[in-house]
């Protein structure tokens, strides 16, 4: 387990009551003009692409509250605000950036790496990040949770070499806890699955989701539990996120974080160092720093490899080794993430 520091803040935050996450989800901002108005940036509305560039805006109001009022370059705002640049056709940027469709083994099941299977548990997210590598994914056809997870569980049953199950999406925590309990009941007769890994952004952008029902379910799972969060900037953290992380740790989960290197958001050594320190203060270990998946519509976020490697060197000079994330790229067909 990771020891959180400073402990006093985490302990205090852990006692904070969780709100109704479904209500917070329903109240998310879904209009780019409203988002800009809330931040005092209404004049920028003339620069918005039509129809949100084909990828709907969604951002919880609690996340909006962490943005800097009047700052058009706020690093949290840039992650979610539709841009005209998303309409540019850039060579090498495609709809299936990491070869997901070629890795499909059953409905909602992707099998890329030895010993691990990934379930597309949900097609929904509480927040739509503009760089999302699955922004074009055919979720309507690929939902592992459909039919009480039947096809996904059958695939797992037929492959005793699968020791780790990864829940992804969308965001798997968009599902109700009752739906997750349905999955865990199905896993009960699959002894070769020893570890559950949940990839989620909700504890960061909608911390109300980590409520009593969810943590009770997580705590009773007879599996090793890893929760991989996704935060790209230290400003994404506040006391409510600290509380959600504390509740996850108390339920027996190991907490890791994956970030994406994004131009204009976190392509700065000081910003990345502050993120690693803030993660560890919340009891989360930096895990991966991803080079951008080259998905259509996200080219304006790309940072070239030479700069990425220079940033990694700067982090190594500033931070203890355990706070330096691995710089990687995902390449479709590779047997693992490719280190840079």
């Amino acid at each position: 387990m990771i020891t959180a520091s400073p402990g006093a803040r985490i302990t205090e935050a852990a006692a904070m009551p969780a709100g109704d996450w479904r209500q917070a989800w329903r109240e998310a901002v879904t209009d780019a003009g409203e988002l800009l108005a809330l931040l005092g940036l209404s004049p920028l509305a003339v620069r918005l692409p039509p129809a949100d560039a084909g990828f709907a805006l969604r951002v919880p109001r609690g996340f909006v509250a962490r943005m800097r009022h009047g700052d058009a370059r706020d690093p949290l705002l840039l992650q979610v605000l539709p841009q005209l640049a998303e309409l540019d056709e850039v060579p090498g940027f495609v709809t299936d950036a990491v070869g997901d469709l070629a890795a499909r083994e059953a409905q909602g099941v992707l099998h890329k790496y030895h010993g691990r299977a990934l379930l597309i548990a949900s097609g929904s997210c509480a927040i739509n990040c503009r760089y999302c590598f699955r922004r074009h994914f055919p979720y309507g056809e690929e939902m592992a949770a459909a039919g009480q997870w039947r096809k996904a569980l059958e695939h797992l049953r037929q492959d005793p070499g699968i020791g780790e199950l990864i829940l992804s999406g969308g965001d798997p925590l968009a599902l109700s806890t009752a739906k997750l309990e349905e999955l865990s009941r199905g896993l009960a007769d699959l002894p070769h699955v020893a570890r559950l890994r949940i990839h989620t952004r909700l504890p960061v952008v909608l911390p109300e989701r980590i409520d009593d029902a969810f943590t009770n379910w997580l705590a009773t799972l007879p599996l090793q539990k890893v929760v991989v969060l996704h935060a790209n900037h230290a400003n994404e953290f506040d006391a409510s996120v600290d509380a959600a992380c504390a509740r996850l740790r108390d339920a027996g989960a190991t907490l890791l974080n994956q970030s994406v290197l994004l131009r204009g958001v976190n392509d700065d050594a000081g910003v990345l160092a502050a993120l690693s320190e803030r993660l560890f203060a919340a009891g989360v270990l930096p895990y991966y720093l991803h080079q951008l998946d080259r998905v259509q519509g996200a080219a304006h976020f790309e940072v070239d490899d030479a700069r990425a490697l220079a940033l990694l060197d700067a982090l190594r000079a500033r931070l203890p080794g355990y706070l330096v994330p691995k710089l990687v790229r995902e390449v479709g067909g590779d047997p693992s993430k490719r280190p840079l």
Side-chain angles (χ1 to χ4, degrees), residues 270-317:
V271 168
L272 290 172
L275 172 60
S276 283
E277 295 280 9
R278 187 62 183 85
L279 285 164
F280 198 66
V284 185
L285 193 66
Y287 172 40
Y288 277 150
L289 176 61
H290 281 269
Q291 268 292 51
L292 183 75
D293 295 320
R294 306 189 90 204
V295 65
Q296 184 178 303
H300 57 291
F301 285 116
E302 188 170 44
V303 177
D304 66 62
D305 284 357
R307 175 153 178 74
L309 288 166
L311 289 169
L312 185 66
D313 284 342
L315 286 182
R316 289 183 178 129

Side-chain angles (χ1 to χ4, degrees), residues 96 98-106 109-113 118 333:
D96 184 12
V98 296
D100 276 344
L101 297 180
R104 182 186 184 276
E105 293 288 341
V109 179
L110 307 183
H111 202 161
K112 294 184 178 182
Y113 305 137
L118 182 147

